[in-house]
Amino acid sequence: MAGAIAYISRDTDGVHWKKVLEAGLGPVDFRPLDSLGNKEDIEVALAWKPPAGLIASFPNVKLIVSLGMGVDHLLADDRLPAGVPIVRIMDDGLVGQMSEYAIYWALRHHRDIDKYAASQRARQWKPEDFVDTIDRRIGVMGLGSIGQDTAGKFAALGFPTAGWSRTAKNLPGIETFHGADGLQRFLARTDILIDVLPLTRDTHGLLDAKAFAALPRGAYFINMARGGHVVDDALLAALESGQISGAALDVFNVEPLPQDHPYWTHPKVHVTPHIAGATNPRTASPGVIENIKRMRAGQALIHSVDPKTGY
């Protein structure tokens, strides 16, 4: 049997991952976090938020696989073994979940559902003025797989849709902006801001007071990327001033969100517990299996990550 696969996650026991890996690879030496055994046997680390230094303790590890589409949870470990390739999953199921999350909260805001919910509680029959779809401008930050899927679906619904990315992208039906020069122009034309950026050194704290001020007054914010993009005090101040009319937040600087955090009880904030997109072994495993086969055959990997850029 080939080298062992370490399953490093506190969220699940890995039973489903073992099943799909064996379906694609045959019998595997699969070791969950509490049963790693002899670490010299491990050649693949399948990981989500591994304890710092753990992967470095596998002397023969040849491949590190992120259990999420983001890899910031891996790169936060400054003891990650140098030279060992890092790959991420590419999960069409997760991509679809993410766009569903964005569409739900955007439409809830667009159609004033929270106002109607308040009217129902007050037993008031109160039609609201509405904004036409063609006048509600969507802005998606990050134009990777998730961002492109999300932007395309909003455009198909008839919303004027734009995207911003670090480097230039050309997407049919989507107005695109890029780089520091394009960020302010992108924000200025965005009524509903959706964050799907990777968390890197360049994007950490990107959504600060200056960024929120650049949005049109009353803009709505949806974060399903990483909490580290947001300066919390700046968002709270923008909500209090009315610069931001509301926010749907799935990710946070500290997770789980501390019990005393203002987001829990803020009347303009909806909190969900990092559930916008969940990795599904059935849809995520084909790429993982392919990369394990390629690694063992000495072939080029797919979905590789550059540790310097973070994606």
Side-chain angles (χ1 to χ4, degrees):
M1 185 180 293
I5 299 174
Y7 180 80
I8 305 167
S9 174
R10 299 181 184 88
D11 294 345
T12 66
D13 58 12
V15 169
H16 294 302
W17 270 104
K18 184 176 188 294
K19 181 178 180 180
V20 295
L21 290 176
E22 287 187 330
L25 296 169
V28 296
D29 182 357
F30 187 89
R31 303 183 184 182
L33 185 57
D34 60 356
S35 304
L36 293 175
N38 186 348
K39 294 180 181 179
E40 293 184 358
D41 300 335
I42 295 169
E43 70 169 355
V44 177
L46 190 59
W48 175 251
K49 296 183 177 179
L54 177 62
I55 295 178
S57 71
F58 306 155
N60 298 312
V61 67
K62 299 182 179 69
L63 179 65
I64 302 169
V65 183
S66 171
L67 277 167
M69 292 183 71
V71 296
D72 51 285
H73 65 101
L74 292 174
L75 299 181
D77 184 356
D78 60 7
R79 287 179 281 172
L80 212 61
V84 177
I86 301 170
V87 298
R88 63 191 182 104
I89 61 166
M90 189 60 68
D91 184 350
D92 289 341
L94 186 152
V95 170
Q97 292 175 51
M98 298 287 281
S99 60
E100 290 166 2
Y101 185 92
I103 290 167
Y104 170 79
W105 289 110
L107 290 180
R108 180 169 173 152
H109 169 69
H110 174 60
R111 296 304 305 269
D112 298 310
I113 300 303
D114 286 337
K115 292 180 181 178
Y116 289 120
S119 294
Q120 179 181 352
R121 289 191 295 271
R123 303 185 183 186
Q124 292 181 330
W125 188 272
K126 185 184 177 185
E128 301 283 350
D129 291 334
F130 63 90
V131 176
D132 291 321
T133 300
I134 59 172
D135 294 323
R136 184 82 77 180
R137 300 164 297 177
I138 304 293
V140 179
M141 294 188 76
L143 291 175
S145 301
I146 296 170
Q148 290 185 31
D149 183 72
T150 300
K153 288 175 179 175
F154 274 107
L157 289 171
F159 291 95
T161 304
W164 179 84
S165 53
R166 186 179 67 90
T167 57
K169 298 283 180 70
N170 184 15
L171 303 175
I174 310 297
E175 185 180 10
T176 56
F177 299 82
H178 70 278
D181 292 342
L183 180 58
Q184 295 301 304
R185 291 184 290 117
F186 164 78
L187 293 171
R189 55 75 57 211
T190 294
D191 300 309
I192 299 178
L193 178 65
I194 301 164
D195 180 17
V196 290
L197 286 168
L199 182 60
T200 68
R201 289 185 294 271
D202 293 334
T203 62
H204 193 278
L206 182 64
L207 294 171
D208 57 9
K210 180 180 179 182
F212 290 124
L215 291 163
R217 184 168 179 80
Y220 192 80
F221 176 49
I222 300 168
N223 190 4
M224 56 183 193
R226 290 291 185 265
H229 296 148
V230 178
V231 178
D232 288 331
D233 288 345
L235 176 55
L236 288 165
L239 288 162
E240 291 302 316
S241 71
Q243 173 63 17
I244 302 297
S245 61
L249 307 177
D250 187 56
V251 288
F252 306 92
N253 276 288
V254 177
E255 295 182 5
L257 186 65
Q259 290 283 312
D260 60 351
H261 200 286
Y263 287 150
W264 282 118
T265 55
H266 199 291
K268 296 181 180 180
V269 174
H270 293 283
V271 169
T272 54
H274 204 141
I275 49 77
T279 300
N280 182 339
R282 291 189 303 275
T283 53
S285 60
V288 176
I289 291 167
E290 177 66 17
N291 267 329
I292 292 174
K293 289 179 177 178
R294 287 176 176 235
M295 178 270 295
R296 290 173 175 169
Q299 299 172 346
L301 302 173
I302 58 175
H303 313 318
S304 294
V305 172
D306 180 354
K308 293 181 180 178
T309 63
Y311 54 89

